[in-house]
Amino acid sequence: MMNVPEYILIIASSGRMLAQAAKNAGLKALVIDLFADLDTQEYAIDFYRILSLSEQHLASAVDYFVNRYAVSHIIYGSGFEYYPESLNYLNNRLTLLGNSADTFVKLHDKPQFFSQLDVLNIAYPETAYNAPQGADDWLVKPMYGQGGAGIKRYQINNTSGSAVYWQKYQTGTQHSVLFLANGQVMQVLGFNRQWTAGLAETEEFIFSGITNNSELLNEHQLLVTDWLTKIVPVFELKGLNSLDFIQAGNRSYVLEINPRPSASMQLYDADLIIRHIRACQGELSDYNFVQDSTSAYQIVYADQDMLIPEAFLWPDWCMDLPEPGSLIHTGQPICSIIARHLVAEPVSYCQQMAATLIQLILENQILKT
């Protein structure tokens, strides 16, 4: 029988999305994250801001919530890609509602992950673990990373550090599929189309936005669904996950699996946080969910240093809201936006909304930075 605890401890770089989902589902969210955004504070019963997701910074925050609320269950989100060892610490303290620390590490062990795809006969871009002889069309990627951070075009004379791998640049459209799993079987929730932003010459593949209007042909969706039926039991995936892939003509190529709730869960009108908890406890009931509208999510990055004005009136389509007086440096995220029931092209519409928001902030700035 499913056990839904009274309190859920949410830990992520940014906990707003999961806190909002928890509150909407009638759960009491306690949040540990790096930002303590205004809306995170609104959705959470209590919150604790830390400097990083390292065990050193997590320990006192976890102690605070365990001692004050007797919390026993955690849902983790983005950010542990940089601190996978912290999941072992959390697993020793509380019950993880999500993939195990072992599963998380296996999926980010690129040689192990891609060799397993070979066994399953699943396509992915050509990949190397030693620097290629030629630089043409190669990318260098961090072994542990998220959102495209740290991905660069490979240049032979540049040193890249030890914790990297190389992958052929593959043209095509970027997609993801959101799915639920209970360790053995899975359910597809929806296919999405993604886009990136170039924030600097060495940061040109940063995740920028996503829409559930994927425009994928049914045959391509069936292929990726078949891949997931093979992958899920091998890695014993649980809860909400997403798989990123490239669609190039009639060919599809896996990029990576995000073994945690991803940003795309916000695009679907369903109680996914409860379904995540149930799936992590082994329950994956029949689910004939149909999404009949187009939604899109976009991160708004600063194109110059910006100071968030006092008493700034955020449009209601904005979220992940920084506190007044916050200094946002060039290339850093200002906030996020969600557009629902779209009839216009999602990418261009979101980019227009982002430009409008930046202009509003600039017009209301008291102090230019």
Side-chain angles (χ1 to χ4, degrees), residues 224-290:
V224 175
T225 299
D226 180 63
W227 288 350
L228 289 176
T229 62
K230 298 175 182 178
I231 291 172
V232 163
V234 169
F235 290 100
E236 299 181 331
L237 289 166
K238 293 182 179 180
L240 283 166
N241 302 261
S242 65
L243 179 146
D244 292 344
F245 63 100
I246 293 283
Q247 189 65 42
N250 288 321
R251 298 294 304 275
S252 303
Y253 302 90
V254 168
L255 294 178
E256 64 181 353
I257 288 178
N258 299 301
R260 53 169 173 74
S262 66
S264 59
M265 71 175 285
Q266 301 169 94
L267 305 178
Y268 295 91
D269 299 323
D271 190 2
L272 294 185
I273 199 77
I274 295 296
R275 298 194 65 82
H276 173 77
I277 294 172
R278 287 175 173 168
C280 292
Q281 297 175 345
E283 181 182 333
L284 201 64
S285 55
D286 291 338
Y287 187 55
N288 297 316
F289 171 67
V290 177

Side-chain angles (χ1 to χ4, degrees), residues 77 86 88 113 118 139 146 149 160 183 204 221 246 279 330 334 339 341:
S86 292
N88 282 314
F113 175 63
D118 285 332
L139 301 174
Q146 67 171 106
S160 302
E204 58 176 303
Q221 295 185 22
I246 293 283
T330 303
I334 300 172
H341 308 293

Side-chain angles (χ1 to χ4, degrees), residues 65-281:
F65 286 117
V66 169
N67 294 333
R68 176 164 292 199
Y69 298 95
V71 64
S72 58
H73 291 73
I74 295 173
I75 296 178
Y76 67 87
S78 64
F80 286 96
E81 291 81 0
Y82 304 109
Y83 300 97
E85 69 283 352
S86 292
L87 291 179
N88 282 314
Y89 162 73
L90 293 173
N91 187 57
N92 291 332
R93 292 293 311 273
L94 301 161
T95 300
L96 292 184
L97 293 172
N99 287 299
S100 69
D102 285 345
T103 292
F104 192 91
V105 169
K106 286 177 183 177
L107 287 165
H108 288 89
D109 181 336
K110 301 307 182 182
Q112 181 176 357
F113 175 63
F114 289 118
S115 65
Q116 188 60 62
L117 294 188
D118 285 332
V119 172
L120 299 175
N121 195 28
I122 294 174
Y124 58 91
E126 183 181 353
T127 300
Y129 306 105
N130 294 302
Q133 295 300 311
D136 291 345
D137 296 326
W138 283 94
L139 301 174
V140 58
K141 298 184 172 184
M143 286 285 186
Y144 291 90
Q146 67 171 106
I151 298 176
K152 298 179 289 187
R153 295 187 185 272
Y154 174 54
Q155 297 179 1
I156 294 176
N157 295 327
N158 285 5
T159 57
S160 302
S162 57
V164 299
Y165 66 104
W166 291 261
Q167 197 166 65
K168 275 282 191 176
Y169 176 72
Q170 176 61 59
T171 59
T173 53
Q174 303 169 62
H175 295 272
S176 74
V177 55
L178 182 69
F179 64 96
L180 274 166
N182 69 354
Q184 292 299 314
V185 297
M186 66 87 205
Q187 296 171 342
V188 168
L189 299 173
F191 286 86
N192 313 295
R193 179 161 50 100
Q194 302 183 162
W195 59 96
T196 57
L199 303 183
E201 185 176 340
T202 57
E203 294 286 357
E204 58 176 303
F205 301 102
I206 300 296
F207 172 78
S208 178
I210 189 166
T211 175
N212 58 6
N213 179 21
S214 73
E215 300 179 346
L216 280 171
L217 296 177
N218 187 58
E219 62 193 77
H220 300 148
Q221 295 185 22
L222 290 174
L223 174 63
V224 175
T225 299
D226 180 63
W227 288 350
L228 289 176
T229 62
K230 298 175 182 178
I231 291 172
V232 163
V234 169
F235 290 100
E236 299 181 331
L237 289 166
K238 293 182 179 180
L240 283 166
N241 302 261
S242 65
L243 179 146
D244 292 344
F245 63 100
I246 293 283
Q247 189 65 42
N250 288 321
R251 298 294 304 275
S252 303
Y253 302 90
V254 168
L255 294 178
E256 64 181 353
I257 288 178
N258 299 301
R260 53 169 173 74
S262 66
S264 59
M265 71 175 285
Q266 301 169 94
L267 305 178
Y268 295 91
D269 299 323
D271 190 2
L272 294 185
I273 199 77
I274 295 296
R275 298 194 65 82
H276 173 77
I277 294 172
R278 287 175 173 168
C280 292
Q281 297 175 345

Side-chain angles (χ1 to χ4, degrees), residues 6-7 30 45-48 60-72 93:
E6 179 181 10
Y7 292 102
L30 308 168
I45 297 295
D46 201 351
F47 65 94
Y48 198 117
S60 59
V62 172
D63 287 343
Y64 169 80
F65 286 117
V66 169
N67 294 333
R68 176 164 292 199
Y69 298 95
V71 64
S72 58
R93 292 293 311 273

